[in-house]
Amino acid sequence: MSVRVRFAPSPTGPLHIGGVRTALYNYLFARKMGGKMLLRIEDTDQTRFVEGAEKYIQEALEWIGIKIDEGVTEGGPHAPYKQSQRKDIYKQYAQQLLDEGKAYYAFDTAEELDAMRKSLEEAKVDNLSYNAVTRMQMKNSITLSKDEVAERIGSGEPYVIRLKVPLKEEIRFKDIIREWVVVHSSTIDDKVLMKSDGMPTYHLANIVDDHLMGITHVIRGEEWLPSAPLHILLYRAFGWEAPQFAHLPLLLKPEGNGKLSKRDGLLGDFPVFPLEWKDPQSGETSRGFREDGYLPEALLNFLAFLGWNPGTDQEFFGLDEMVEAFSLEKIHKAGARFDVNKAKWFNQHYLRQMSDEELAEQVSMKLENKALAPKLVKLMKDRVTFTKEIITEVPYLFNPPMEYDQEVAQKKWDDLAKKAIPVIADILGNIPDADFEAQKIHDTLFEKLEAEGIKPGKVMQAFRLAVTGEGKGPDLMLILEILGKQTVLERIAKALATL
């Protein structure tokens, strides 16, 4: 059997990070099994369609490194891969179920459906759904004569097509992650398959497409588990073999209970979308992992470990290594807590794996003086989590300090510092401009301070304060080299006057 999986998002807004993980697991499984991965756009609910969402989905997958074999852009033998372009196909299969007595027309209005639920509530009935029992009191092609049904349809009266769910049937299937799932058909309502606007519901379109596109494994989020028994019933109704199911664990809030939401990202100051998203209607912008500075390799590793454990001590995986190690059987049932600090840890690792030249090229794009980039990388590479911090964490390299750390000043700007700082200024002033580089500054400064009877270690923090306004930070000698002799001397003079 040739493995075929699909990622089938709806273009209703930005792709949630949980959706990216679902796409990743589908991709890893397909590649591990030598199979194909499809991207299908499920846009049957036109009322929720959002302009730009489909392009966003494709860009997000491309950025993280997930290559699609068949889809809207790639094409393939089962095109079109957008459900709104497959309406005639769904009508054909809905008609098949009608002809075989496995589905029926329902003409009930919204008011009549509300009245039905209200009467069930008053009777204290547990199941308030449109099902094998309640359908017999409603207006549908089961309770109405053939002539009346034909007349209603002919006159243009709105209707939906519902699945005729059997009253007493056990639905049993084995989920790869959750083992056996058993549900009784009496708990399932007669779901709408075709809406009154002629568009299929998710349930019909999903099953028809998965069958026609040869999908062998449906790997999707746990939130779809309650729909799985209904989908099994639909496969039975058509006489098709159902694919194997694997329902992935939820992504949980960093703290407390419940599913990760956009609000959790706002409260925890982290993104929940792969890329930045600007809502075309409200204009509201949501943060993205890419724009926040995460590397795709870091996000891949972070997401892979949210629910999957390779069973080894290996902590970092390239995409090919991930494919080799992956299996659905190693995915946990329990929800995975979304700890963004772990994502930062991965990012720090992969940033440090980059060559200095590659990193300097990225940093230079944000600098007026491009030549500074290699020195900044040397100074900050091992101290930051994100590339942008190579610049943002050292503001004193671009502007003189406007204030000084008062706690450090009180402790370190003592009589020894007041005596030593002018000496340091004289020593630095006598170093030729051509020799004003980190190692030579260090050697000269330490040698001459010792000759003056001043222990360098006793005054370096005060010296750093004078130059940067801070009491700690990266290599001070390299900072002096980057600033240049004249700027350093000006800052020392200002500190002496201010402190």
Side-chain angles (χ1 to χ4, degrees):
M1 178 180 63
S2 178
V3 164
R4 290 173 63 81
V5 301
R6 48 67 167 179
F7 180 55
S10 298
T12 56
L15 180 62
H16 188 273
I17 201 66
V20 182
R21 186 195 61 170
T22 297
L24 174 61
Y25 284 175
N26 272 278
Y27 176 82
L28 294 177
F29 181 71
R31 291 293 178 268
K32 177 68 178 284
M33 305 303 291
K36 301 279 189 185
M37 178 172 173
L38 287 65
L39 175 64
R40 186 173 71 224
I41 301 299
E42 301 203 331
D43 59 345
T44 55
D45 190 347
Q46 292 291 297
T47 61
R48 297 178 63 218
F49 174 80
V50 174
E51 192 67 42
E54 183 183 324
K55 184 180 177 185
Y56 176 98
I57 291 164
Q58 293 172 322
E59 188 180 343
L61 298 181
E62 187 178 335
W63 173 64
I64 206 166
I66 294 174
K67 293 180 174 62
I68 302 301
D69 298 304
E70 297 176 25
V72 175
T73 303
E74 297 76 14
H78 303 287
Y81 291 90
K82 191 182 293 189
Q83 287 187 334
S84 59
Q85 298 170 0
R86 299 171 61 85
K87 285 169 62 176
D88 290 343
I89 297 172
Y90 308 129
K91 285 179 182 175
Q92 169 192 335
Y93 284 98
Q95 189 61 50
Q96 178 185 327
L97 293 180
L98 286 168
D99 293 345
E100 295 174 358
K102 295 170 182 174
Y104 59 92
Y105 297 105
F107 302 94
D108 316 284
T109 64
E111 293 76 18
E112 288 167 338
L113 291 171
D114 286 340
M116 182 257 303
R117 294 188 191 97
K118 189 175 179 182
S119 66
L120 291 173
E121 280 179 3
E122 289 171 353
K124 301 194 183 305
V125 175
D126 290 336
N127 191 342
L128 306 181
S129 61
Y130 201 122
N131 58 27
V133 176
T134 54
R135 71 168 81 113
M136 301 312 295
Q137 284 78 52
M138 306 302 290
K139 289 192 309 189
N140 52 59
S141 55
I142 297 172
T143 59
L144 302 173
S145 68
K146 282 186 180 180
D147 289 344
E148 189 172 351
V149 169
E151 185 181 332
R152 285 173 182 266
I153 293 173
S155 67
E157 184 174 335
Y159 65 85
V160 298
I161 298 174
R162 289 181 179 271
L163 178 66
K164 188 178 180 183
V165 175
L167 178 59
K168 295 178 180 179
E169 195 166 310
E170 187 178 75
I171 303 132
R172 176 188 292 264
F173 68 96
K174 191 172 185 180
D175 187 276
I176 295 171
I177 296 169
R178 293 163 198 286
E179 294 296 324
W180 286 101
V181 177
V182 182
V183 175
H184 199 273
S185 65
S186 61
T187 63
I188 301 173
D189 57 325
D190 290 0
K191 290 289 186 194
V192 173
L193 302 179
M194 295 290 287
K195 295 176 279 190
S196 56
D197 63 0
M199 287 295 278
T201 59
Y202 164 81
H203 303 292
L204 177 65
N206 181 277
I207 269 58
V208 168
D209 285 347
D210 280 352
H211 173 72
L212 295 180
M213 294 179 183
I215 300 304
T216 60
H217 294 76
V218 171
I219 305 166
R220 59 188 180 185
E222 181 184 320
E223 62 270 25
W224 291 110
L225 187 58
S227 298
L230 170 69
H231 295 171
I232 295 291
L233 279 178
L234 273 166
Y235 279 107
R236 287 184 190 174
F238 283 117
W240 299 334
E241 183 180 348
Q244 294 187 58
F245 289 95
H247 288 89
L248 307 174
L250 292 175
L251 293 189
L252 303 176
K253 300 169 181 283
E255 296 175 358
N257 300 318
K259 185 179 174 182
L260 179 74
S261 69
K262 181 180 175 182
R263 185 168 179 272
D264 295 313
L266 294 172
L267 292 174
D269 192 30
F270 60 82
V272 296
F273 303 119
L275 315 179
E276 187 176 88
W277 166 260
K278 186 172 182 179
D279 190 293
Q281 293 168 333
S282 68
E284 178 189 2
T285 299
S286 299
R287 288 162 59 183
F289 275 89
R290 182 179 67 181
E291 289 72 17
D292 266 26
Y294 287 88
L295 300 168
E297 303 94 324
L299 190 58
L300 272 175
N301 275 261
F302 173 58
L303 291 177
F305 280 99
L306 285 174
W308 170 71
N309 189 323
T312 67
D313 294 331
Q314 187 173 342
E315 294 180 304
F316 305 101
F317 287 80
L319 196 50
D320 290 342
E321 292 177 302
M322 212 177 275
V323 167
E324 186 62 32
F326 187 78
S327 78
L328 292 172
E329 287 76 15
K330 290 178 181 175
I331 294 176
H332 307 304
K333 294 179 189 176
R337 200 160 292 284
F338 195 86
D339 179 6
V340 78
N341 289 322
K342 190 74 172 178
K344 291 178 180 177
W345 180 74
F346 277 116
N347 208 70
Q348 190 176 62
H349 169 81
Y350 281 102
L351 186 146
R352 290 176 182 177
Q353 297 300 302
M354 293 172 69
S355 69
D356 288 0
E357 294 75 20
E358 186 183 0
L359 205 47
E361 188 177 340
Q362 291 190 14
V363 171
S364 69
M365 290 190 269
K366 296 178 168 41
L367 293 172
E368 285 185 29
N369 182 359
K370 310 291 185 190
L372 271 184
K375 291 182 178 180
L376 285 174
V377 168
K378 184 179 177 183
L379 181 71
M380 297 296 292
K381 183 177 181 180
D382 291 333
R383 300 178 65 90
V384 299
T385 301
F386 301 105
T387 305
K388 62 187 175 185
E389 292 174 342
I390 291 173
I391 296 173
T392 61
E393 290 297 298
V394 283
Y396 45 76
L397 291 179
F398 307 97
N399 297 292
M402 301 304 294
E403 54 187 30
Y404 301 91
D405 187 316
Q406 288 304 304
E407 188 177 341
V408 176
Q410 286 172 9
K411 289 180 180 177
K412 298 296 180 180
W413 198 263
D414 52 16
D415 291 340
L416 177 59
K418 291 170 187 173
K419 173 190 169 187
I421 299 300
V423 175
I424 290 173
D426 287 341
I427 295 169
L428 296 178
N430 287 316
I431 297 175
D433 289 353
D435 291 338
F436 205 79
E437 58 88 21
Q439 191 59 52
K440 289 180 180 177
I441 295 170
H442 175 277
D443 295 345
T444 305
L445 188 58
F446 276 59
E447 179 188 338
K448 292 190 178 296
L449 281 175
E450 292 279 8
E452 293 285 340
I454 299 170
K455 290 187 185 293
K458 296 281 189 183
V459 295
M460 278 302 115
Q461 199 170 3
F463 179 34
R464 181 186 290 275
L465 183 73
V467 175
T468 69
E470 298 178 5
K472 59 184 179 181
D475 186 341
L476 179 57
M477 299 303 131
L478 189 50
I479 288 174
L480 301 179
E481 178 186 327
I482 292 169
L483 288 172
K485 184 167 76 173
Q486 189 57 42
T487 298
V488 172
L489 294 176
E490 288 171 1
R491 292 192 182 187
I492 289 173
K494 181 187 175 186
L496 287 167
T498 305
L499 290 166

